[in-house]
Amino acid sequence: MQERPILSVKNLSTHFKMVEGVVKAVQDATFDLYRDEVLGIVGETGSGKSVTVKAIAGMIDNPGFIAGGEVLFLTDEFSKSGEKEYIDLAKLPKESFSRIRGKHIGMIFQDPMTSLDPMYTIGNQMIETIVHHKGVTVEEARERAVKLLEQVGIPKPSERINDYPFQLSGGQRQRVVIAIALSCDPDILIADEPSTALDVTVQAQILELMKDLQEQFNSSMMFITHDMAVIAEIATKITVMYGSYQMEMGQSKDIFEHPMNPYTYALLECIPRLDVKQDRLLPIPGQPPVMLNPPDLCPFLPRCSRASEKCYKDLPQLEQTGDSHFVRCWNPIAGKVKLVKEAQG
Amino acid sequence: MKLLEVKNLKKYFPIKQGFLVERVVGFVKAVDDVSFSVDRGKTIGIVGESGCGKTTIGKSIIRLHEVTDGEMLIDEEDTTFYFMKRKRALQYLKSKYFKDQDFDGDGSGLETYKKKIHDVFVKSDRNPSKTLNTLFENLEEKKRLLRRKAQIVFQDPMSSLNPRMTVGQMLAEPLLFHKMAEKMDDAIAMVKDLLVKVGLKAYHVDRYPHQFSGGQRQRIAVARAISVNPDLIVLDEPTSALDVSVQAQIVNLFEELQKQLNAGYVFISHNLALVRFICQEVSVMYLGRIVEQGDSESIFAAPLHPYTKALLAAAPVPDPNKKRNRKDLIGGQVPSPINRPSGCFFNPRCKYRMDICTREYPPMFKVDQKHFVACHLYSTSQEQGGEK
């Protein structure tokens, strides 16, 4: 790709200072996000996927802090000449963030009931956002809000706009949250487990909607989930996180067809699949790592089947192995690997 | 011999309204006319979206709820009335065995019900109430036995384990209660064996739940369930609070334990892939009723009910090359269980809706030896299943 990435994260680390010690939630996160790309961040509980995007959106509060790295975001918001330039979000003061968040970065969270205010109608909440960021009149904002609700598939939007969140179902609430996130034509849409709290049939609706809207609005998206199946569905590029580190990053196909990191491979082996009949799941032995004062070694080491002596000495770096395929491992799996799916019968 | 037989199970929750004086204004029909059975060593799955009544079934089986109607037989023994108040239990037994009029009547149907009593209770006794009373003999012991036979593992181990008890105390309690161990020391020794059996270490016996990770906690919950050698274990979303890498460990543990105990499992889940992996038989539920029932392979390979098709089409598959079958996807959401649609509950969302669907709830049609579906689409070509 020739164009400049819209977001370029370099060696981003986020730590939390606790009484017991320092929790290193995210270490050394590095990735680029281009226009039209959907970057999927997948990982287990506590792997640091949510903290990564929260750090990008300036939502890390005490006792957390950004311990290092850069978050370069391409925008014309602060430029005097009107040209787009990179600003470092990691160093941006908290007050200035309100000019970025909601306007250039839209966010969708897991539970729509907690991201919507139960005391205000959904119309109120949408109009507030639009007026604040776009500087239009309330009437214009209302018109736009109705149009947005229609786009996200809410029936009779001009009536439903006066509803309170509790009058909507879970799926509809999530649609409203998506509408608010899109209300100011953001450059990046960050979705943090947007479909996890929903039922499967509704989840499918929301995922289809997000795919359609992403194409329509021509924005980039960062999609966080713990579900490998959901990520396969929506992401063009995937980064796999484990124990605060990015273990592997690459195009969606590469990750699923030839995973190079033993963790990614093991993860794909242990998920039950709907499309194939399996005789046995191959679990990963051991427990997920504890994030308090971890050693500077590969976090997967205690559970890894390919561990060698070198693994116990140094932490591997995220290295490029192929065309846009990065892996953090001393003993990556080489060549194409046969996964369960090919044993289909 | 069937381990568990559930017949026409109903559980309605009353909706009460009013200040000071409460009136029942309606019912949430959480489970409505559900029948299924479980064999020893087999796993049956119950799948459905939230609010379809799958957890209510699980809780009814182990009697955390008193059921509204229906029968539950464990090892062919009627256990339905065990936890009812005596008056209600008598009512239930009378209505089951004597059909209203001939019991309290003037004696016209006396001969028939005497015969019935004889058939049912073998013992011939002049006084039917006395015969009924024999069913209540040793009820405490029977209850205890039932509690031992049927166990449950809940979704969230953090809320199902007592945070103020050590693992040893928690696991010793059922052993002492069911007299499987005489003294605390014996019980603790048994607990240590149990812990090893579920993949933990014997020295974990003195720890508290908060000292474990999520997967380990679920292992403790499993150890508690299997400690009393149950025949039936209800698994209510046992892995949905766990990470996938740990989920596989727990699932494999269930399979191993099933071989050892020869227990029957009722596996309740919304995760279709997991159900396909673990269950031999599956029941798909929608709004409190079973819409499709059959052996796992035929349901997943050839789903019949439009709702099952939609569920399978909606479930994401971990393969970027596989595109979702958009044709079977459905819009809308599950209607309220208080105010259910007329006719087939699924008809407002169904693509194949016919006139009859808005008028009548379809009965279970038998399409195959082991495959039943409640949908009018299969009424013409197929013979009706009858009693299921």
Side-chain angles (χ1 to χ4, degrees):
Chain A
M1 253 177 266
Q2 294 303 309
E3 58 169 331
R4 291 186 292 175
I6 205 164
L7 181 79
S8 176
V9 177
K10 286 175 186 154
N11 306 94
L12 178 70
S13 295
T14 308
H15 297 174
F16 289 81
K17 217 174 209 153
M18 313 291 269
V19 186
E20 300 92 344
V22 177
V23 175
K24 294 177 178 172
V26 179
Q27 296 186 73
D28 217 10
T30 303
F31 54 85
D32 289 335
L33 183 67
Y34 292 91
R35 188 159 277 286
D36 290 340
E37 243 180 2
V38 181
L39 172 70
I41 305 183
V42 65
E44 298 178 57
T45 320
S47 59
K49 51 195 194 308
S50 276
V51 176
T52 309
V53 292
K54 280 191 176 160
I56 292 168
M59 292 169 73
I60 298 292
D61 288 327
N62 245 343
F65 59 96
I66 293 176
E70 290 178 317
V71 182
L72 299 177
F73 180 54
L74 189 65
T75 180
D76 55 3
E77 182 67 35
F78 298 104
S79 94
K80 291 186 181 78
S81 60
E83 285 277 300
K84 285 198 168 187
E85 56 184 26
Y86 281 110
I87 53 159
D88 189 356
L89 295 183
K91 293 186 182 66
L92 195 70
K94 276 233 139 68
E95 308 82 68
S96 312
F97 246 111
S98 61
R99 290 172 65 183
I100 295 288
R101 213 189 304 129
K103 189 172 181 186
H104 296 286
I105 300 180
M107 306 206 56
I108 303 164
F109 291 103
Q110 177 172 349
D111 183 5
M113 204 57 219
T114 48
S115 42
L116 291 173
D117 192 327
M119 302 288 283
Y120 295 91
T121 63
I122 54 170
N124 258 331
Q125 299 179 50
M126 295 184 75
I127 292 163
E128 184 193 0
T129 316
I130 299 169
V131 169
H132 178 84
H133 289 300
K134 290 271 178 188
V136 292
T137 63
V138 174
E139 284 72 36
E140 284 169 329
R142 174 174 285 272
E143 227 167 79
R144 186 171 164 76
V146 171
K147 201 174 150 238
L148 277 162
L149 286 180
E150 199 185 337
Q151 276 175 314
V152 296
I154 302 248
K156 296 187 207 150
S158 49
E159 291 168 32
R160 301 312 289 275
I161 196 165
N162 296 319
D163 280 0
Y164 287 90
F166 75 88
Q167 291 169 299
L168 304 170
S169 70
Q172 283 180 324
R173 272 181 224 139
Q174 199 60 293
R175 284 171 196 268
V176 171
V177 174
I178 293 172
I180 294 176
L182 290 172
S183 60
C184 299
D185 295 316
D187 299 313
I188 303 175
L189 191 61
I190 294 179
D192 189 354
E193 307 244 10
S195 61
T196 309
L198 307 171
D199 277 322
V200 235
T201 54
V202 182
Q203 165 172 295
Q205 295 168 14
I206 296 287
L207 287 181
E208 293 294 327
L209 174 74
M210 290 186 73
K211 269 196 267 184
D212 291 348
L213 289 175
Q214 194 259 334
E215 276 167 31
Q216 217 178 74
F217 280 72
N218 194 21
S219 66
S220 315
M221 181 150 67
M222 288 172 73
F223 194 99
I224 299 175
T225 180
H226 65 277
D227 191 337
M228 289 301 270
V230 169
I231 214 90
E233 196 120 309
I234 198 159
T236 55
K237 191 161 112 179
I238 295 174
T239 170
V240 181
M241 287 189 80
Y242 183 80
S244 80
Y245 287 106
Q246 276 174 292
M247 301 303 275
E248 189 166 2
M249 178 163 67
Q251 296 302 312
S252 178
K253 269 196 176 162
D254 293 341
I255 297 281
F256 278 95
E257 275 164 17
H258 31 100
M260 296 181 76
N261 193 297
Y263 172 64
T264 319
Y265 180 74
L267 196 61
L268 288 171
E269 285 263 90
C270 76
I271 40 178
R273 299 181 56 133
L274 191 58
D275 51 337
V276 193
K277 177 75 190 156
Q278 292 150 290
D279 292 330
R280 197 165 166 78
L281 298 178
L282 295 169
I284 309 177
Q287 304 294 327
V290 178
M291 299 316 298
L292 198 65
N293 299 326
D296 276 339
L297 292 172
C298 169
F300 191 56
L301 185 54
R303 303 172 80 181
C304 187
S305 59
R306 295 173 69 91
S308 65
E309 251 177 60
K310 200 171 184 186
C311 300
Y312 289 93
K313 284 184 193 132
D314 283 312
L315 173 76
Q317 296 303 313
L318 193 69
E319 272 169 53
Q320 188 158 10
T321 58
D323 199 21
S324 71
H325 197 154
F326 298 80
V327 63
R328 183 192 294 277
C329 186
W330 289 125
N331 311 303
I333 300 168
K336 284 210 172 189
V337 200
K338 282 219 164 168
L339 277 172
V340 210
K341 65 181 172 203
E342 273 143 64
Q344 194 166 359
Chain B
M1 194 161 69
K2 290 266 186 255
L3 171 61
L4 170 76
E5 251 187 295
V6 175
K7 290 182 192 165
N8 307 93
L9 178 73
K10 287 180 186 159
K11 175 67 196 170
Y12 297 168
F13 293 98
I15 309 162
K16 288 174 183 163
Q17 230 170 51
F19 181 63
L20 294 177
V21 185
E22 282 191 335
R23 284 175 305 126
V24 175
V25 292
F27 289 98
V28 176
K29 295 181 176 172
V31 178
D32 200 2
D33 211 359
V34 164
S35 307
F36 61 89
S37 63
V38 189
D39 284 328
R40 278 203 167 68
K42 288 269 167 16
T43 308
I44 80 139
I46 300 179
V47 281
E49 296 179 273
S50 47
C52 73
K54 49 191 196 304
T55 297
T56 310
I57 290 185
K59 287 188 170 172
S60 300
I61 291 173
I62 62 150
R63 308 307 155 81
L64 291 177
H65 289 316
E66 191 181 300
V67 299
T68 310
D69 197 12
E71 288 171 38
M72 269 178 286
L73 278 66
I74 290 186
D75 286 332
E76 288 180 358
E77 194 180 326
D78 190 351
T79 60
T80 321
F81 62 94
Y82 280 14
F83 293 90
M84 286 175 177
K85 292 220 172 75
R86 187 161 175 116
K87 199 172 160 195
R88 215 184 137 220
L90 268 171
Q91 239 171 25
Y92 163 79
L93 288 169
K94 281 180 191 171
S95 69
K96 183 179 171 193
Y97 294 116
F98 307 114
K99 303 292 176 227
D100 23 312
Q101 86 284 2
D102 50 22
F103 185 71
D104 287 319
D106 52 349
S108 52
L110 196 71
E111 286 310 308
T112 45
Y113 85 67
K114 256 197 200 158
K115 195 171 173 296
K116 266 188 196 165
I117 298 164
H118 189 83
D119 292 348
V120 174
F121 306 116
V122 189
K123 296 170 198 162
S124 62
D125 196 310
R126 289 250 166 231
N127 186 348
S129 327
K130 211 173 164 190
T131 321
L132 276 185
N133 284 339
T134 58
L135 278 178
F136 289 97
E137 271 170 21
N138 305 327
L139 192 60
E140 283 307 311
E141 219 163 273
K142 284 184 189 166
K143 276 186 190 175
R144 204 173 263 227
L145 185 67
L146 175 71
R147 286 283 184 234
R148 190 187 70 67
K149 272 187 176 175
Q151 289 289 324
I152 189 165
V153 177
F154 290 104
Q155 174 174 0
D156 180 10
M158 202 57 213
S159 51
S160 68
L161 299 176
N162 187 338
R164 303 184 57 157
M165 282 168 101
T166 64
V167 173
Q169 290 167 338
M170 239 182 306
L171 295 187
E173 208 173 75
L175 294 173
L176 294 168
F177 178 82
H178 289 292
K179 308 217 165 59
M180 298 182 73
E182 292 282 308
K183 285 176 293 187
M184 192 66 182
D185 293 349
D186 302 344
I188 293 291
M190 286 171 78
V191 169
K192 284 180 181 166
D193 289 345
L194 273 170
L195 289 176
V196 175
K197 209 171 177 179
V198 296
L200 294 169
K201 300 279 186 296
Y203 59 76
H204 285 143
V205 73
D206 290 323
R207 294 205 185 162
Y208 287 91
H210 72 89
Q211 291 169 299
F212 295 94
S213 71
Q216 288 174 318
R217 273 184 219 133
Q218 198 60 299
R219 283 174 194 269
I220 296 168
V222 173
R224 183 172 59 182
I226 64 161
S227 63
V228 290
N229 295 328
D231 295 323
L232 175 73
I233 306 180
V234 177
L235 305 168
D236 187 359
E237 308 245 10
T239 63
S240 51
L242 306 175
D243 277 317
V244 273
S245 71
V246 181
Q247 166 176 295
Q249 295 174 9
I250 300 289
V251 167
N252 284 343
L253 176 67
F254 286 141
E255 300 228 304
E256 274 161 36
L257 290 173
Q258 188 169 40
K259 277 185 204 126
Q260 287 173 28
L261 296 166
N262 195 26
Y265 284 171
V266 178
F267 190 83
I268 297 169
S269 180
H270 65 271
N271 186 338
L272 292 159
L274 200 56
V275 167
R276 176 175 192 170
F277 177 74
I278 204 167
C279 301
Q280 285 91 41
E281 269 178 52
V282 179
S283 296
V284 183
M285 288 192 68
Y286 189 74
L287 271 185
R289 291 209 184 177
I290 292 178
V291 294
E292 189 165 356
Q293 197 166 36
D295 66 284
S296 168
E297 269 328 285
S298 65
I299 286 205
F300 285 105
L304 295 175
H305 198 283
Y307 177 65
T308 317
K309 285 183 186 167
L311 266 185
L312 291 176
V317 168
D319 186 344
N321 297 320
K322 282 195 180 159
K323 283 282 160 270
R324 170 180 278 148
N325 175 10
R326 278 194 180 211
K327 194 180 93 242
D328 279 333
L329 282 186
I330 47 169
Q333 53 264 318
V334 186
S336 149
I338 304 167
N339 211 344
R340 299 185 297 193
S342 63
C344 173
F345 303 151
F346 189 60
N347 84 66
R349 300 171 81 184
C350 185
K351 282 204 185 84
Y352 311 96
R353 183 172 54 195
M354 301 176 290
D355 279 345
I356 189 170
C357 300
T358 50
R359 279 183 277 120
E360 276 174 44
Y361 192 88
M364 273 279 184
F365 296 109
K366 186 177 185 178
V367 283
D368 195 339
Q369 205 51 37
K370 282 182 182 162
H371 201 152
F372 299 83
V373 60
C375 178
H376 287 301
L377 283 176
Y378 302 94
S379 63
T380 46
S381 55
Q382 307 296 337
E383 166 195 353
Q384 196 169 324
E387 177 94 282
K388 167 65 192 169

